[in-house]
Amino acid sequence: MQPFDTQPGIQSVISGYTGGHTENPTYAEVASHTTGHTEAVKITFDPETISYAQLVEIYWRQTDPTDASGQFQDRGDSYRPVIYVNSPAQRQAAKASKAQLAASGQFDAPIVTTIEEAQPFYPAEEEHQDFYRKNPFRYQIEEMGGRQDFIQQNWHD
């Protein structure tokens, strides 16, 4: 998932679903908002090359951390902003980063992204892997659904 898969030290990025109560859900089931799952990515990385804290910083710049009801054109609980953690060290890094972002005053609204323990992860169907590469035109249309403008307005480095 762009931009994670372009970073040095990223070994794999898998699109999928996590955090819900249905085992092995399909995209259609998750999209129905009945499984409790969120769409997510599972990132395997080399911590000698890229830190978990750096991954969290990249994450912030891809989402609207003030919108608990979804992300851009994707609405509903399955699109809520969540950072899943696998260890106390990851939890601490995510909490520190969230606190720093909240204290920065960069956003007028509160940071509502939750930090939750990682749950079983179910890879999405093959057609949903590397979506932006397989469907560049559709991905570009979705980017124009608000994400691109939001990133440009809120993350000017």
Side-chain angles (χ1 to χ4, degrees):
M1 158 112 14
Q2 187 184 27
F4 290 104
D5 63 358
T6 63
Q7 300 298 313
I10 300 297
Q11 297 163 340
S12 69
V13 179
I14 301 170
S15 298
Y17 322 111
T18 191
H21 51 78
T22 302
E23 290 187 24
N24 298 307
T26 64
Y27 176 79
E29 290 171 330
V30 173
S32 74
H33 306 288
T34 59
T35 66
H37 286 288
T38 0
E39 288 193 19
V41 292
K42 181 179 183 179
I43 301 171
T44 305
F45 63 101
D46 175 3
E48 298 294 319
T49 306
I50 189 168
S51 71
Y52 182 79
Q54 288 172 299
L55 293 177
V56 172
E57 292 305 314
I58 294 168
Y59 169 81
W60 291 128
R61 294 170 178 269
Q62 307 314 306
T63 67
D64 178 351
T66 67
D67 186 354
S69 299
Q71 292 295 290
F72 311 106
Q73 79 279 359
D74 294 323
R75 309 311 302 159
D77 209 40
S78 62
Y79 298 106
R80 65 192 179 90
V82 182
I83 297 173
Y84 289 100
V85 297
N86 289 296
S87 70
Q90 287 183 354
R91 177 175 287 286
Q92 183 55 38
K95 284 176 68 174
S97 180
K98 180 178 177 179
Q100 182 178 5
L101 182 61
S104 74
Q106 182 166 344
F107 296 98
D108 294 333
I111 306 302
V112 297
T113 302
T114 60
I115 299 169
E116 301 176 17
E117 293 298 319
Q119 302 295 317
F121 179 86
Y122 302 98
E125 298 84 345
E126 185 55 36
E127 69 251 29
H128 298 290
Q129 303 301 329
D130 298 318
F131 182 81
Y132 77 99
R133 286 188 179 134
K134 293 176 182 175
N135 301 284
F137 179 71
R138 189 162 160 213
Y139 182 78
Q140 189 64 25
I141 289 172
E142 290 182 9
E143 283 290 290
M144 290 185 290
R147 179 184 309 273
Q148 188 175 38
D149 288 343
F150 180 86
I151 290 170
Q152 287 176 348
Q153 290 171 5
N154 291 282
W155 296 105
H156 21 271
D157 293 323

